[in-house]
């Protein structure tokens, strides 16, 4: 999350007055950073993380120049209330449970429009089932999306890491 938040802070993506949705927000760090850069942000996660998100939004509201709110979104379920498609979807460290891959991909397909930019940051893990889960995720993702790896030299200098990747993802043109 810190790598993606610091990448946003570099100004690589114009966020002011843009609609941003963070999936699997956890603490909300990435979405809150986007809101400090002027974005209109909805951070989403499961019900059990809403209290943490609210506390973190409250504790950082003095930094926000856009807006930020927290909402429940369970991957694979209805996304009607999050339409129209946002300008950006942010995801940090969302690729690790095999059971969540299909619901996550369904949610991404349901949420993205032709102009939605998805920024996905993940740590490449080499232990256990992680390499297989990553391989499967990217194989499934590439059915509907085009991926571009953001080179390490464009990441924040202090927060970059060889094993943490940021991808720029767009819907394939139909």
């Amino acid at each position: 999350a810190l790598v993606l938040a610091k990448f946003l802070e570099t100004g690589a993506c114009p966020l002011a007055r843009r609609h941003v949705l963070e999936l699997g927000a956890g603490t909300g760090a990435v979405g809150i950073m986007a809101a400090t850069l002027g974005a209109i942000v909805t951070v989403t996660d499961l019900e059990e993380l809403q209290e943490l998100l609210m506390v973190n939004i409250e504790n950082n509201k003095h930094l926000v120049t856009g807006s930020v709110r927290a909402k429940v979104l369970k991957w694979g379920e209805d996304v009607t209330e999050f339409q129209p498609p946002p300008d950006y979807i942010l995801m940090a460290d969302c690729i690790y449970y095999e059971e969540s891959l299909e619901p996550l991909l369904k949610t991404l397909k349901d949420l993205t429009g032709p102009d939605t930019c998805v920024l996905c940051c993940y740590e490449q893990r080499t232990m256990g089932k992680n390499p297989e889960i990553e391989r499967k995720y990217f194989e499934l993702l590439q059915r509907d999306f085009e991926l571009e790896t953001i080179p390490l030299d464009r990441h924040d200098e202090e927060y970059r890491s060889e094993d943490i990747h940021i991808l720029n993802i767009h819907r394939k043109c139909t």
Side-chain angles (χ1 to χ4, degrees), residues 8 13-20 31-41 63-68 87:
L8 295 177
C13 302
L15 293 176
R17 294 178 301 285
R18 302 293 172 94
H19 288 270
V20 173
I32 292 169
M33 173 61 83
T36 69
L37 298 168
I40 301 150
V41 181
L63 301 170
V64 171
T65 62
S67 66
V68 60
D87 298 304

Side-chain angles (χ1 to χ4, degrees), residues 23-25 75 90-97 100-101 104 120-122 125 137:
L23 299 181
W75 299 340
L90 306 175
M91 298 168 41
D93 211 20
C94 290
I95 313 163
Y96 50 88
Y97 287 125
S100 70
L101 295 185
L104 173 57
C120 172
C121 185
Y122 72 99
R125 295 179 169 93
Y137 173 74

Side-chain angles (χ1 to χ4, degrees), residues 41-60:
V41 181
T42 303
V43 290
T44 67
D45 213 314
L46 299 172
E47 181 67 52
E48 53 267 27
L49 284 152
Q50 294 301 303
E51 193 175 328
L52 175 63
L53 285 168
M54 300 296 216
V55 167
N56 289 341
I57 288 168
E58 181 63 28
N59 289 341
N60 291 283

Side-chain angles (χ1 to χ4, degrees), residues 107-132:
T107 296
L108 273 178
K109 279 197 281 195
D110 292 348
L111 285 171
T112 52
D115 300 321
T116 303
C117 172
V118 180
L119 292 174
C120 172
C121 185
Y122 72 99
E123 182 176 356
Q124 192 169 11
R125 295 179 169 93
T126 56
M127 304 299 286
K129 290 187 76 176
N130 286 304
E132 177 61 24

